Amino acid sequence: QTSFDLSDPEVQLWMLETAKAARKTANLYISPRAKTWIEVLEEETKKINITFPLQQSDFAGFVSLMMENSNFRRLYGGDIGTTGPGVGGNFVFTSLTFLQEVGGRESREALLKRWESFVNELNSNALLKTGQAVIYSNAFNEAYRKNAILSTTLSSWALANGLCLLIILLFTQNILLSILVMLTVILMVISLMGFVLVVLSIEFGP
């Protein structure tokens, strides 16, 4: 959004509070070994006795100095988007990158639902000037695709069955017979799906 200004002290505080809130949410399994850029920024200001959040006029210059550090630039260079090179121009977006340590405890679908719940609660309490947060992760792409394929497949299947029922009803003029025919077709499809998924062990989805 055009009104987004990351240098605003309230936005800086909101970003820091968001990072801390995510870490306090135990079922997100966020690792303490990797910090977000806003947490690093706060730590650096404390080291040199500068009050956080930074003044709006000082923010871009301070972040530019931090970007001169190759390690900081490598880790967080893509987390701040502007219309100009580096941190020049107007701010367009910012992101907080977290490292999760999940192992085999949770499926990606379950984790995605927990992140969606966290982000929905976050957005419901967000300031107007911060905009709305969204989730993005390569680890969740497969879950997104599966959900999209499943929802479109079910809706297409329901639409096709509805049209078939109308056509059969139009020709037979018998509601009971039409329903029996559709139930037979649906049971055949379910049986075929069970054979493909269970017997042949072909995974549903991308």
Side-chain angles (χ1 to χ4, degrees):
Q1 60 181 40
T2 55
S3 61
F4 176 73
D5 186 1
L6 186 57
S7 64
D8 189 308
E10 286 188 278
V11 177
Q12 296 175 51
L13 279 177
W14 178 256
M15 295 296 297
L16 182 62
E17 290 170 0
T18 299
K20 291 181 177 180
R23 293 192 185 280
K24 289 179 181 178
T25 306
N27 59 13
L28 295 181
Y29 306 117
I30 294 177
S31 171
R33 295 186 294 113
K35 297 182 179 180
T36 62
W37 71 267
I38 194 69
E39 293 171 304
V40 175
L41 181 66
E42 184 199 24
E43 289 180 354
E44 291 299 317
T45 57
K46 286 181 178 179
K47 289 179 182 179
I48 55 178
N49 296 320
I50 295 179
T51 304
F52 185 89
L54 294 167
Q55 294 295 319
Q56 195 162 5
S57 58
D58 299 333
F59 180 82
F62 195 89
V63 174
S64 295
L65 287 175
M66 294 187 67
M67 286 292 183
E68 292 180 4
N69 183 299
S70 59
N71 190 46
F72 183 89
R73 186 170 60 252
R74 177 178 57 84
L75 292 173
Y76 308 113
D79 286 347
I80 301 175
T82 63
T83 56
V87 290
N90 297 322
F91 291 100
V92 179
F93 72 89
T94 185
S95 61
L96 298 176
T97 304
F98 297 99
L99 175 65
Q100 285 184 293
E101 294 181 338
V102 181
R105 291 176 290 182
E106 299 282 349
S107 66
R108 291 180 180 179
E109 289 79 6
L111 281 173
L112 177 58
K113 287 182 180 179
R114 290 179 178 179
W115 272 108
E116 287 176 342
S117 176
F118 174 80
V119 169
N120 288 338
E121 183 178 355
L122 179 72
N123 286 335
S124 66
N125 299 316
L127 303 172
L128 182 62
K129 62 179 68 177
T130 62
Q132 298 289 293
V134 295
I135 308 167
Y136 177 79
S137 171
N138 290 330
F140 292 149
N141 284 346
E142 183 179 349
Y144 276 125
R145 288 197 297 269
K146 282 185 177 180
N147 291 339
I149 289 174
L150 182 60
S151 62
T152 54
T153 300
L154 290 177
S155 59
S156 299
W157 189 46
L159 178 62
N161 286 335
L163 290 175
C164 288
L165 178 61
L166 288 176
I167 293 171
I168 295 172
L169 184 61
L170 179 65
F171 281 95
T172 61
Q173 302 294 314
N174 188 314
I175 296 177
L176 181 61
L177 179 60
S178 300
I179 292 175
L180 288 175
V181 171
M182 283 308 305
L183 285 176
T184 302
V185 173
I186 291 173
L187 289 174
M188 289 174 60
V189 172
I190 292 175
S191 300
L192 180 61
M193 184 182 300
F195 179 79
V196 171
L197 296 178
V198 178
V199 179
L200 299 181
S201 297
I202 298 177
E203 186 178 354
F204 180 80

